[in-house]
Amino acid sequence: MNNGAPFIATNLDDGMPSEHGILPGNGAICKVIIATTKKEPLNIGKPSHELIDLACQTINGLKQETLIVGDNLYTDILAAHRSGMDSLLVFSGYSQKHDLLCSEIKPTHQVDDLSQWLSMLS
C-alpha cells in the first residue's frame, strides 16, 4: 500500500459471530492496516450502497420489493438504509437488542431468529 498497492475492503464488519463467540471481522483487520499505513480502504461492500445497487440491477430487482436481512446493525442494516430498502435485523448474530438503544440506525423489522420471521409470514 505504501508502494502504491490498492487497499480494498470487501466489508467493514468489526466482528463475526461464531460458535465460540464474536471473532474479529474484516473491519477489525482493516483497522490494523489503517493504523499501520495511515491509508483508508476503498470499501466495495457493506455498508456501502453501491454493491446493493449493483445486485438489484443484476437481478432486475426493485428496491421497494426487496428486503435486506442481516445480523449486523452497523453494516447490513446501514447498507439497507443507505440504499433506501427495507431491512430485517436478526438478533442471532452480531448485533443485540441493546445496540438499537444507542444507534440512529433502525431496521424496518427485527426478530430474535429467522424462524420467528418465518412464523410471522405464515
Side-chain angles (χ1 to χ4, degrees):
M1 277 165 271
N2 285 335
N3 292 325
F7 180 17
I8 300 171
T10 57
N11 69 69
L12 297 178
D13 287 22
D14 284 337
M16 297 175 37
S18 79
E19 60 191 30
H20 304 292
I22 301 296
L23 298 176
N26 194 58
I29 304 304
C30 285
K31 287 178 180 173
V32 171
I33 297 170
I34 292 165
T36 304
T37 65
K38 307 295 186 245
K39 298 197 183 224
E40 293 288 329
L42 168 62
N43 179 35
I44 60 170
K46 55 190 183 159
S48 170
H49 68 86
E50 286 89 354
L51 183 63
I52 292 172
D53 293 346
L54 179 61
C56 284
Q57 290 173 359
T58 301
I59 65 168
N60 293 319
L62 299 174
K63 288 184 177 184
Q64 61 270 24
E65 295 177 359
T66 305
L67 179 70
I68 302 267
V69 179
D71 70 341
N72 191 318
L73 181 64
Y74 307 103
T75 57
D76 304 324
I77 305 308
L78 180 57
H81 176 75
R82 288 179 174 172
S83 297
M85 301 171 74
D86 285 346
S87 60
L88 170 65
L89 178 60
V90 183
F91 293 117
S92 57
Y94 184 77
S95 294
Q96 301 301 312
K97 291 179 182 176
H98 63 83
D99 293 317
L100 289 174
L101 300 174
C102 57
S103 175
E104 293 182 16
I105 307 163
K106 302 296 181 204
T108 312
H109 310 281
Q110 52 189 301
V111 292
D112 292 327
D113 56 45
L114 287 176
S115 65
Q116 183 182 7
W117 178 252
L118 293 174
S119 68
M120 292 168 65
L121 296 175
S122 53

